[in-house]
Amino acid sequence: MGLKEKTDFAGNFIEKLSICGLYPLYATGVEILQMNITRRCNLSCKHCHVQAGPGRTENMTRETMARCIRAAGDPGITTVDITGGAPEMNPDLEWLVVEMGKLDKRVLVRSNLVILLEEGFRHLPAVFAANGVEVVGSLPDYLGEGTERQRGRDVFGRAIEAIRLLNGLGYGKPGSGLVLDLVHNPVGAYLPGEQKHLETEYRRVLGGVHGVSFNGLFCLVNCPVGRYLDYLKNSGNLRDYLMSLEASFNPESAGRVMCRTTLSVGWDGSLYDCDFNQALNLEVSCSEKGKIGDIDLPVLAGREIRLGGHCLACTAGAGSSCQGSLTE
Amino acid sequence: MSENYYEKADLEDFPNIGEYAPEAGEKFFEYYTVATGAGKLSEREKSLIALAVATVRHCPYCIDAYTGKCLSLGIGKDEMMEAVHVGAAMAAGDILAHATQMRKIIKKKEM
Ligand code: SF4
Ligand code: SF4
């Protein structure tokens, strides 16, 4: 039969990188500063890799945010990507986007959308718009049913309502300069289809049926970390899922993985190669130790990336990153 | 060799079906890629056709592969089931159409 029994997925990943001359894998710079400012969230999605939820208490302080703002002033950094949890649940988010807005960088806030309709958060879309913040909204499935299976009851309808509210401010509308991108990720143990194809389907249904618009769709491969890993184990899908990630390894995607140009900052200022390594507590490997602001960016820019079996999610098929697919 | 004729892991061996006849295998894959890839029909439409054929042909590997493909493409479960019903209706129609032979023979043989 010739089928090799494979269980060492981290080893297999490194072997694949070595074959295409990418191991050890080094960062090539720091262009994106990703800040994970809270583990709190109003939702508790079944696939959440950071295991966020209403019961979490970790929040980035204003002092750590100030350190990030100073770091973001580096001319090499083009983008500040604010995530969580639900970043809106950090009471200093508003202050952060106003201060970041002064730097003339691309600033993104990742939102689960539904929080924007809740008491105490409804003013935030206007704050985002006033500061030119791009909104990246999660909507795993354009058909609704899957979104609710993953994120909870009524989430789809409320997310559509939030998109409508954002559209009303100009988000996702041509010529407004206000960007609303949506994020798709599979609701189960399979890989996403082609980004271009899914974007067409999203537009057909969201525009045609619900009358809302958006700029672009980012397709993400679910990374086997956190609650998603638990789901894979509990449903008996783990081996098959990892096998399909491995079988879809694409060297072109491997060369472009986001950690090569990203620095991820945890709520307490700790530094990671990406949000997944952050969830796994794998801090950056670097000659110097410290939090954001303690280590000079040029030292971090050439660091060796810490890899594991979970990295196969970034290199499968067209690849996956916080900005969607890595190749056409 | 396992005790079962059908093994889930056999699907992973699909790329090796050209073994012992590599030239024909290569040509098959070339043909398969063209036939199932987007053309005048979209990848979506072709995946639903493939899913219906897979169920009609009772191929566990293709059912696995095309169920996954349809989910990846964001195709609804209701749409997938509709496609399977097309296959089921075609299979039923095919059987009933063959009863024409039976009816013709009956008519010929009965006094
Ligand atoms: S996936 Fe996003 S919205 Fe869902 S629990 Fe995690 S942080 Fe919250
Ligand atoms: S999981 Fe993180 S470290 Fe691994 S390849 Fe993806 S971005 Fe890089």
Side-chain angles (χ1 to χ4, degrees):
Chain A
M1 166 96 23
L3 291 182
K4 200 162 65 156
E5 191 54 41
K6 301 174 191 174
T7 43
D8 178 14
F9 289 98
N12 294 344
F13 179 65
I14 285 170
E15 195 183 311
K16 285 186 183 295
L17 282 187
S18 304
I19 292 167
C20 44
L22 284 168
Y23 184 75
L25 185 70
Y26 291 102
T28 54
V30 179
E31 295 166 20
I32 301 171
L33 187 73
Q34 188 170 62
M35 301 169 60
N36 193 319
I37 64 169
T38 183
R39 291 283 160 96
R40 275 176 74 77
C41 189
N42 54 324
L43 303 180
S44 302
C45 304
K46 285 186 189 157
H47 71 304
C48 184
H49 68 274
V50 293
Q51 312 197 50
R56 300 293 296 257
T57 52
E58 304 93 322
N59 263 332
M60 186 181 278
T61 61
R62 204 180 266 211
E63 191 215 327
T64 303
M65 287 181 180
R67 285 169 156 245
C68 292
I69 295 165
R70 277 197 294 280
D74 183 278
I77 292 184
T78 59
T79 306
V80 177
D81 183 339
I82 303 169
T83 187
E88 294 90 340
M89 292 188 90
N90 183 312
D92 288 321
L93 173 69
E94 201 172 325
W95 177 81
L96 176 65
V97 298
V98 171
E99 293 304 311
M100 280 294 184
K102 296 175 185 163
L103 291 184
D104 197 26
K105 309 270 174 179
R106 181 177 174 219
V107 179
L108 323 175
V109 170
R110 293 183 187 268
S111 176
N112 64 37
L113 298 169
V114 296
I115 195 166
L116 300 174
L117 302 177
E118 289 199 9
E119 197 59 49
F121 302 99
R122 288 194 202 134
H123 65 293
L124 286 173
V127 176
F128 296 159
N131 291 280
V133 169
E134 294 183 22
V135 177
V136 183
S138 306
L139 196 69
D141 170 32
Y142 64 94
L143 294 172
E145 180 262 341
T147 296
E148 306 214 338
R149 237 184 313 122
Q150 188 166 78
R151 303 177 90 84
R153 259 197 19 220
D154 298 334
V155 166
F156 184 72
R158 284 191 285 142
I160 297 292
E161 209 180 316
I163 296 174
R164 200 165 284 127
L165 183 130
L166 289 163
N167 285 165
L169 292 170
Y171 273 104
K173 294 279 179 194
S176 71
L178 292 173
V179 177
L180 168 64
D181 291 320
L182 296 181
V183 175
H184 162 83
N185 63 276
V187 185
Y190 52 90
L191 307 189
E194 200 195 328
Q195 185 166 278
K196 229 171 32 199
H197 164 89
L198 281 161
E199 186 174 301
T200 308
E201 291 302 303
Y202 266 68
R203 248 184 245 296
R204 181 174 66 80
V205 174
L206 296 190
V209 179
H210 303 285
V212 293
S213 56
F214 62 97
N215 292 90
L217 183 76
F218 299 160
C219 268
L220 265 59
V221 175
N222 287 318
C223 188
V225 166
R227 281 192 204 126
Y228 187 66
L229 177 63
D230 293 342
Y231 153 74
L232 290 173
K233 283 183 187 160
N234 297 338
S235 60
N237 278 302
L238 181 60
R239 183 183 173 276
D240 279 357
Y241 186 71
L242 292 172
M243 292 287 287
S244 60
L245 291 180
E246 194 185 316
S248 321
F249 178 85
N250 176 359
E252 207 188 321
S253 301
R256 298 185 188 183
V257 283
M258 64 181 166
C259 47
R260 303 194 82 184
T261 51
T262 301
L263 181 66
S264 156
V265 189
W267 65 273
D268 62 352
S270 301
L271 301 173
Y272 306 90
D273 297 311
C274 68
D275 210 47
F276 304 117
N277 282 7
Q278 184 172 146
L280 289 166
N281 260 321
L282 294 172
E283 287 190 49
V284 284
S285 80
C286 194
S287 53
E288 298 172 31
K289 292 266 164 275
K291 309 227 176 219
I292 184 73
D294 296 338
I295 311 174
D296 288 339
L297 286 184
V299 177
L300 289 159
R303 72 190 187 275
E304 186 182 337
I305 307 292
R306 296 188 71 182
L307 304 167
H310 63 289
C311 296
L312 284 163
C314 296
T315 56
S320 177
S321 74
C322 291
Q323 309 279 327
S325 298
L326 297 165
T327 59
E328 279 290 296
Chain B
M1 179 77 199
S2 84
E3 286 302 301
N4 302 318
Y5 286 115
Y6 283 131
E7 284 287 327
K8 186 167 169 47
D10 290 348
L11 184 55
E12 290 152 21
D13 193 50
F14 189 63
N16 303 323
I17 56 168
E19 195 177 8
Y20 308 137
E23 204 186 322
E26 212 170 288
K27 289 214 161 17
F28 162 75
F29 277 114
E30 236 171 72
Y31 168 67
Y32 187 89
T33 309
V34 172
T36 58
K40 294 242 162 85
L41 295 183
S42 67
E43 204 184 356
R44 197 173 201 280
E45 289 161 334
K46 288 193 176 180
S47 297
L48 284 167
I49 294 171
L51 179 67
V53 172
T55 47
V56 169
R57 300 284 305 163
H58 300 175
C59 175
Y61 309 122
C62 293
I63 293 171
D64 190 347
Y66 281 96
T67 301
K69 176 109 187 254
C70 288
L71 288 172
S72 292
L73 291 172
I75 297 175
K77 289 180 290 219
D78 49 353
E79 296 172 283
M80 288 158 70
M81 200 62 205
E82 266 190 35
V84 171
H85 274 295
V86 174
M90 291 299 293
D94 166 5
I95 291 166
L96 293 176
H98 277 80
T100 308
Q101 306 300 324
M102 173 194 78
R103 285 168 34 241
K104 280 198 309 199
I105 293 164
I106 290 171
K107 278 167 194 153
K108 186 174 173 214
K109 293 211 166 168
E110 270 189 343
M111 255 180 211

